[in-house]
């Protein structure tokens, strides 16, 4: 939903069909083969609903299935790793980057690979932060004391590292962006992949000449695979202004 927030802010005329795989999340601690199967299934389900672009708003799913889906689908497919990697290269002054991500994304080596394809002179360090997702999902990130403890335990080894740029390599982590920035005392640029992904969506839609023209109030569609009750609470907290219709569905591999 952090990616949705940025897309709706930057592209207020676009209608979003969002799929939340609540019953099978989190993806970040699952093996990549399982995540790949889930992601392909969800993509095929959404394409059948006549979408014009697919945004994989999950770093682990992007690492697992982006290239396969680009080969299979006839519509543009955007992941969250490439935009974040390019932004980190633009922001870094010394060529040293720290990636904070789930275990699955770290194991995939997706961010180091994406950065090294563009600039082999960069040095990339990755850190799995498994405690960050439940911190956000359970809305405990609003407690500064709890958040401070969790961030310190995860990042203390990097407090004084040479990396001058940090990539938030999970779409949950932007909710912790300011806390992470403060932890590093402003010495490191913090890259929000959701923000960068929305910029890429905008550029691609414009290039393809498929931007939706202004047409009054926009209502989005949210499909939840599983129980939507907790998701509604999170939506009220994260995106209180979002106009949407929500429906629970059942999708199993």
């Amino acid at each position: 939903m952090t990616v949705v927030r940025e897309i709706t802010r930057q592209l207020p005329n676009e209608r979003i069909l969002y799929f939340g795989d609540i019953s099978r999340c989190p993806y970040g601690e699952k093996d990549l083969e399982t995540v790949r199967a889930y992601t392909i299934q969800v993509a095929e389900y959404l394409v059948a609903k006549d979408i014009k672009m697919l945004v994989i708003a999950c770093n682990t799913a992007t690492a697992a299935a982006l290239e396969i889906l680009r080969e299979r689908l006839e519509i543009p497919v955007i992941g969250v790793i490439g935009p974040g990697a390019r932004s980190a290269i633009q922001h870094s002054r010394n060529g040293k980057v720290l990636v904070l991500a789930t275990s699955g994304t770290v194991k995939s080596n997706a961010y180091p690979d994406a950065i090294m394809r563009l600039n082999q002179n960069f040095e990339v360090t990755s850190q799995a932060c498994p405690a960050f997702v439940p911190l956000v999902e359970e809305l405990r990130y609003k407690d500064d004391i709890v958040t401070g403890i969790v961030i310190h335990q995860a990042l203390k080894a990097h407090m004084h590292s040479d990396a001058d740029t940090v990539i938030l390599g999970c779409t949950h982590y932007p909710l912790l962006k300011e806390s992470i920035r403060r932890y590093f005392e402003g010495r490191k640029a913090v890259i929000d992949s959701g923000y960068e992904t929305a910029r890429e969506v905008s550029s691609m839609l414009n290039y393809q000449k498929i931007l939706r023209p202004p047409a009054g109030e926009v209502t989005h569609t949210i499909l939840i695979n599983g129980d939507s009750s907790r998701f509604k609470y999170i939506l009220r907290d994260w995106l209180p202004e979002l106009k949407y219709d929500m429906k629970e569905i059942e999708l199993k591999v």
Side-chain angles (χ1 to χ4, degrees):
M1 293 308 296
T2 58
V3 177
V4 169
R5 181 170 61 184
E6 280 302 324
I7 292 175
T8 56
R9 188 181 68 82
Q10 296 185 35
L11 298 166
N13 297 318
E14 296 299 332
R15 288 185 303 198
I16 293 173
L17 173 60
Y18 178 89
F19 185 98
D21 202 355
I22 301 300
S23 67
R24 301 186 297 199
C25 281
Y27 282 11
E29 307 308 314
K30 291 181 169 63
D31 65 88
L32 287 181
E33 287 297 326
T34 299
V35 173
R36 184 174 297 115
Y38 290 171
T39 307
I40 291 171
Q41 182 196 32
V42 172
E44 291 174 346
Y45 178 86
L46 292 172
V47 167
K49 295 188 176 296
D50 199 30
I51 58 174
K52 64 181 178 181
M53 172 184 283
L54 176 67
V55 180
I56 308 175
C58 167
N59 285 264
T60 308
T62 297
L66 177 65
E67 295 309 319
I68 291 174
L69 289 174
R70 281 181 169 169
E71 290 174 4
R72 291 188 183 184
L73 303 183
E74 296 180 357
I75 59 173
V77 182
I78 291 178
V80 288
I81 290 174
R86 286 190 289 275
S87 182
I89 290 173
Q90 292 168 4
H91 280 82
S92 180
R93 300 179 303 279
N94 67 4
K96 296 181 180 181
V97 174
L98 172 63
V99 177
L100 308 181
T102 64
S103 298
T105 300
V106 170
K107 289 175 185 175
S108 75
N109 219 42
Y111 273 102
D113 288 349
I115 290 172
M116 297 299 283
R117 279 197 297 270
L118 296 170
N119 190 328
Q120 294 184 353
N121 296 318
F122 267 67
E123 180 181 315
V124 184
T125 303
S126 299
Q127 174 68 51
C129 304
F132 284 7
V133 169
L135 181 68
V136 171
E137 288 272 345
E138 296 165 14
L139 302 180
R140 291 183 295 143
Y141 72 94
K142 295 183 174 184
D143 185 322
D144 290 340
I145 294 175
V146 172
T147 297
I149 292 171
V150 172
I151 288 176
H152 177 69
Q153 290 301 316
L155 304 182
K156 58 187 176 182
H158 303 284
M159 178 68 177
H160 301 291
S161 72
D162 292 337
D164 69 349
T165 303
V166 178
I167 298 176
L168 302 181
C170 172
T171 48
H172 283 72
Y173 295 4
L175 276 297
L176 303 173
K177 182 176 180 178
E178 292 309 314
S179 296
I180 292 171
R181 194 199 306 276
R182 287 196 300 270
Y183 181 75
F184 288 123
E185 298 175 348
R187 296 190 305 273
K188 303 180 191 297
V190 181
I191 305 301
D192 176 353
S193 293
Y195 174 82
E196 301 301 333
T197 300
R199 289 179 60 190
E200 186 146 321
V201 168
S202 178
S203 297
M204 182 64 72
L205 290 175
N206 187 53
Y207 176 76
Q208 298 274 356
K209 294 182 170 53
I210 52 175
L211 280 166
R212 184 173 184 267
E217 186 175 83
V218 176
T219 300
H220 307 286
T221 300
I222 296 178
L223 304 176
I224 299 298
N225 186 33
D227 182 1
S228 65
S229 56
R230 188 158 158 269
F231 195 81
K232 289 177 181 176
Y233 180 80
I234 292 172
L235 263 180
R236 286 196 298 270
D237 184 68
W238 289 359
L239 288 164
E241 304 302 321
L242 193 73
K243 306 294 184 185
Y244 63 87
D245 294 322
M246 183 180 291
K247 182 171 70 172
E248 291 184 4
I249 65 167
E250 186 176 1
L251 191 67
K252 296 180 180 179
V253 171

